[in-house]
Amino acid sequence: MHKKPLLSINDLSVEFITEAGITQAVKGIGFDLMAGESMALVGESGSGKSVTALSVMRLLSRSAGRITSGEIWFRHPGLGRINLLSLNDREMQDIRGRHLSMIFQEPMTSLNPVKRCGVQVMESLLWHRQSDDKQARQIVLDLFSEVLLPDPEGAFRAWPHELSGGQKQRVMIAMAMACKPSLLIADEPTTALDVTVQKSILDLMRRLQEKYGMAILFISHDLGVVKQIASKAAVMRLGRIVEHAAVEKLFSAPSHPYTKALIACRPPIEGRPQRLAVVDDFLINETGVENPGKPPQPVPGDAHTAREISAASSNHQAGDPLFARDETPLLEVKNLRTYYVTKKSLWGRPLSYFKAVEDISFSVYRGETLGLVGESGCGKTTLGRSILRLISPQSGQVFFKGVDVARLSAPALRRLRPKMQIIFQDPYASLTPGLSVGNAILEPMRVHSVMNSNKARKQRIVELLEKVGLEESHYHRYPHEFSGGQRQRICIARALALEPEFIVCDESVSALDVSVQAQVLNLLNDLKREFGLTYIFISHDLSVVKYMSDRLIVMKNGRIEELNDADALYANPKSDYTKKLIDAIPAL
């Protein structure tokens, strides 16, 4: 007997009305999803993945978005096959959350900050009249245990800001599962999570799917994640589905150049190409028509930008010291400790501390990229900011070119700051919304008296914008007018404007699409070679850190767990924790 689909989308088109005119976000797509099946929608930001999911949930903004054509058929357990687009708001509310549920990409903005987590999950049960207050509370506690929250009672009473990113995502999964839906839509549920937390979330979703027999529509830009969760996938580009196949076939024999591009642009964990492939290298025009010819591949070989610009790397083999130890380090960190006060007395006296960085020592050599990897909360960002004196350390020394940064006076530190810069994780939060891009870069140049006139500075800014792949016309635009990858390029240009020698890259590609991530990583390596820069590269993604780094530091609970040459550390990890991080990397 032919199996009937749980969800069937036919000829769906969605458009948005903007100041620039009408934008077609989804263009005539269609697919079927069977009960108990897992399917992925894959593509870059702006490809139409989330708009498709929001259309199924009927959550599109009516003021801006509208469905211009198509049907969305859902097999309701009581009503049979119904077209979701034909339902009124009240009828859709009865289905949404009860039979159709969704996990959103950003749990912090999806959870209500002024309601306790347990109460928020109870709301769905009470709305759909699944239980009374007492029963709902017990159901939520059982759900919190099922999604492996370490302290269900504590999580029930906790406010969203008191939980980690992974814990908040588990609360969102519990909320989505509260009414045991037949279809769960997961919109980028693991983006920006640690690889270990990501693996645990994917394992959890697989377990819940098997237990309740629900179908999952999984949205992601990361093909490595898709391979772990889905049985089939549809690849979207510019609002269209360009390839639809079983996941195994998609990876073993991708037919569309865009699919090949998404696979190629992820940093390989084995080998080290000089440059990562980017989508633009693959010959696809804007209409999605394949151009003839074989897509160019990343340059093969063991050479790496960081190694090319180091005189000590000429005959480097994995496991050999990369930098001669008689060379004077550019940066030396000695016995650094940074604590946060967690409890104070009535008179403001500290009673207890959280030891974010505990007795850390290492050196960074000129022209080197030192990778810093570990799970969220291990102290990576605190260490990077302590080195730059953006956070005052409790004790220890930080020598930059022989000068102890930790003990400099405020005027002396200000004079040194241009030489030590940082690229923050969230480019939008690190740019002032009301300040144009040009002025955002001009401001630090003026403060630190870089160049003699604003005219010369503006000319330099235009050169830097073009250097990072932007245009002169972008000078007068504002941050909200750019994509995430473009905003990160702006932040890189701002850091370069002060002519630094040393840059801390703090999770600077963690929230970007793999294709945009590849462009930014290539850019960072190009700039390093051109300007002779030295990096500390911070990330929770070991494959990205290994590709970028000459040496790697693995951090855990504020301490150094392991320090070694990047290739040697991956090939022969000494620590069980390092092995755990390597095992959690999504494999293609």
Side-chain angles (χ1 to χ4, degrees):
M1 185 178 175
H2 181 66
K3 195 176 179 182
K4 295 178 180 178
L6 174 70
L7 179 74
S8 186
I9 296 178
N10 301 323
D11 192 33
L12 180 68
S13 295
V14 183
E15 65 182 25
F16 287 87
I17 302 169
T18 66
E19 291 181 359
I22 293 175
T23 300
Q24 281 194 293
V26 176
K27 306 171 185 176
I29 69 164
F31 60 83
D32 292 335
L33 178 62
M34 303 298 174
E37 189 177 42
S38 57
M39 175 182 168
L41 286 180
V42 191
E44 299 172 280
S45 292
S47 62
K49 309 183 303 295
S50 293
V51 172
T52 301
L54 292 172
S55 299
V56 173
M57 295 296 292
R58 291 273 304 273
L59 291 173
L60 281 176
S61 168
R62 290 185 176 179
S63 60
R66 63 186 182 190
I67 296 171
T68 55
S69 70
E71 300 168 322
I72 301 175
W73 294 97
F74 176 69
R75 193 163 295 281
H76 190 284
L79 303 175
R81 190 168 182 258
I82 54 175
N83 183 4
L84 297 178
L85 300 184
S86 68
L87 302 180
N88 61 38
D89 288 348
R90 179 64 198 188
E91 290 170 333
M92 193 63 206
Q93 282 179 355
D94 289 337
I95 292 174
R96 191 190 296 124
R98 173 69 183 94
H99 302 291
L100 290 173
S101 203
M102 187 165 178
I103 304 168
F104 294 94
Q105 179 172 355
E106 179 47 66
M108 191 62 222
T109 55
S110 303
L111 292 170
N112 190 331
V114 296
K115 283 189 177 180
R116 297 185 188 273
C117 292
V119 173
Q120 297 189 55
V121 181
M122 281 177 61
E123 285 178 343
S124 179
L125 291 163
L126 297 174
W127 171 264
H128 292 286
R129 300 179 181 86
Q130 298 294 297
S131 58
D132 58 28
D133 282 18
K134 186 176 180 181
Q135 290 173 324
R137 189 180 194 281
Q138 189 55 51
I139 290 171
V140 172
L141 289 173
D142 292 342
L143 278 168
F144 282 0
S145 296
E146 197 167 19
V147 299
L148 304 180
L149 281 165
D151 178 12
E153 282 280 359
F156 189 97
R157 295 189 302 270
W159 305 97
H161 72 271
E162 296 179 297
L163 301 180
S164 69
Q167 289 173 331
K168 283 196 283 278
Q169 198 60 284
R170 289 172 190 273
V171 170
M172 289 295 297
I173 292 173
M175 186 184 296
M177 292 298 302
C179 295
K180 298 182 176 58
S182 51
L183 171 61
L184 176 66
I185 300 174
D187 186 6
E188 302 268 15
T190 59
T191 298
L193 294 180
D194 299 334
V195 285
T196 49
V197 178
Q198 173 180 277
K199 187 174 187 294
S200 68
I201 293 291
L202 295 176
D203 290 343
L204 169 64
M205 292 180 67
R206 273 197 302 267
R207 264 197 321 274
L208 293 172
Q209 181 184 22
E210 290 170 5
K211 181 175 179 179
Y212 296 106
M214 64 182 177
I216 293 179
L217 182 61
F218 193 93
I219 295 169
S220 181
H221 61 253
D222 191 336
L223 283 167
V225 170
V226 166
K227 191 173 183 183
Q228 295 185 52
I229 191 73
S231 56
K232 66 180 184 180
V235 181
M236 291 191 71
R237 181 171 191 260
L238 302 177
R240 301 184 187 277
I241 292 178
V242 297
E243 186 165 359
H244 191 177
V247 165
E248 289 302 322
K249 183 177 184 297
L250 203 70
F251 285 94
S252 60
S255 61
H256 198 280
Y258 181 67
T259 310
K260 296 174 185 177
L262 288 179
I263 293 172
C265 62
R266 184 175 174 83
I269 199 65
E270 300 287 353
R272 194 192 288 266
Q274 288 183 11
R275 295 181 67 77
L276 295 172
V278 295
V279 170
D280 290 343
D281 291 338
F282 290 78
L283 306 178
I284 311 172
N285 66 26
E286 287 303 309
T287 61
V289 178
E290 297 180 20
N291 286 321
K294 185 179 179 182
Q297 300 297 314
V299 181
D302 296 328
H304 182 257
T305 307
R307 296 162 194 269
E308 288 176 348
I309 64 174
S310 168
S313 65
S314 55
N315 296 306
H316 176 260
Q317 299 294 322
D320 293 343
L322 183 59
F323 291 87
R325 291 296 173 252
D326 58 355
E327 181 185 338
T328 304
L330 179 70
L331 180 82
E332 285 185 279
V333 177
K334 296 184 177 180
N335 308 112
L336 193 67
R337 291 179 172 87
T338 304
Y339 300 166
Y340 294 109
V341 177
T342 55
K343 190 177 180 181
K344 292 182 179 181
S345 69
L346 191 60
W347 295 273
R349 180 187 170 192
L351 296 178
S352 61
Y353 296 91
F354 171 69
K355 298 179 179 180
V357 174
E358 177 66 11
D359 195 23
I360 280 186
S361 301
F362 63 88
S363 299
V364 186
Y365 295 85
R366 190 177 296 277
E368 180 183 24
T369 297
L370 179 70
L372 200 55
V373 70
E375 296 175 289
S376 293
C378 70
K380 307 185 301 293
T381 294
T382 299
L383 175 58
R385 296 187 181 196
S386 298
I387 289 169
L388 299 178
R389 274 278 297 277
L390 297 177
I391 298 173
S392 296
Q394 204 82 8
S395 64
Q397 297 171 300
V398 178
F399 291 99
F400 179 72
K401 299 175 73 172
V403 177
D404 189 355
V405 177
R407 285 169 174 73
L408 283 179
S409 64
L413 180 63
R414 180 170 171 167
R415 288 193 295 272
L416 184 65
R417 283 219 183 276
K419 298 301 177 187
M420 304 172 70
Q421 288 293 297
I422 185 169
I423 302 167
F424 293 100
Q425 177 175 358
D426 186 344
Y428 192 72
S430 58
L431 292 168
T432 304
L435 206 60
S436 69
V437 163
N439 286 330
I441 302 173
L442 178 67
E443 187 178 53
M445 295 178 74
R446 189 187 293 128
V447 167
H448 291 285
S449 301
V450 176
M451 312 186 87
N452 297 323
S453 67
N454 281 343
K455 184 178 179 180
R457 290 173 189 137
K458 287 179 180 179
Q459 182 58 42
R460 176 61 175 158
I461 291 167
V462 170
E463 291 172 6
L464 286 171
L465 288 174
E466 291 173 348
K467 187 75 69 179
V468 300
L470 297 173
E471 300 172 8
E472 182 178 354
S473 61
H474 292 151
Y475 185 101
H476 297 290
R477 293 190 188 176
Y478 291 86
H480 72 272
E481 298 179 84
F482 295 90
S483 68
Q486 287 174 320
R487 283 195 287 264
Q488 198 60 282
R489 290 169 183 269
I490 293 162
C491 291
I492 292 169
R494 182 174 60 180
L496 290 174
L498 299 181
E499 301 173 353
E501 297 177 38
F502 168 71
I503 299 178
V504 174
C505 305
D506 184 11
E507 298 273 14
S508 51
V509 296
S510 65
L512 302 178
D513 294 337
V514 284
S515 54
V516 180
Q517 174 181 279
Q519 295 171 20
V520 173
L521 294 179
N522 286 339
L523 172 63
L524 287 171
N525 277 332
D526 291 343
L527 295 172
K528 177 180 177 179
R529 177 166 48 192
E530 182 173 349
F531 295 106
L533 300 170
T534 303
Y535 293 142
I536 284 183
F537 191 89
I538 299 172
S539 180
H540 59 253
D541 188 335
L542 190 56
S543 60
V544 170
V545 180
K546 176 185 175 290
Y547 172 74
M548 289 294 291
S549 305
D550 299 299
R551 289 186 300 146
L552 265 178
I553 290 177
V554 178
M555 282 188 70
K556 181 185 179 185
N557 297 331
R559 295 179 179 273
I560 292 178
E561 184 80 7
E562 192 165 351
L563 193 163
N564 204 346
D565 173 82
D567 292 324
L569 187 140
Y570 174 74
N572 187 27
K574 308 296 183 188
S575 159
D576 289 339
Y577 179 70
T578 307
K579 293 174 185 175
K580 177 185 166 188
L581 288 179
I582 293 172
D583 290 342
I585 298 170
L588 293 181

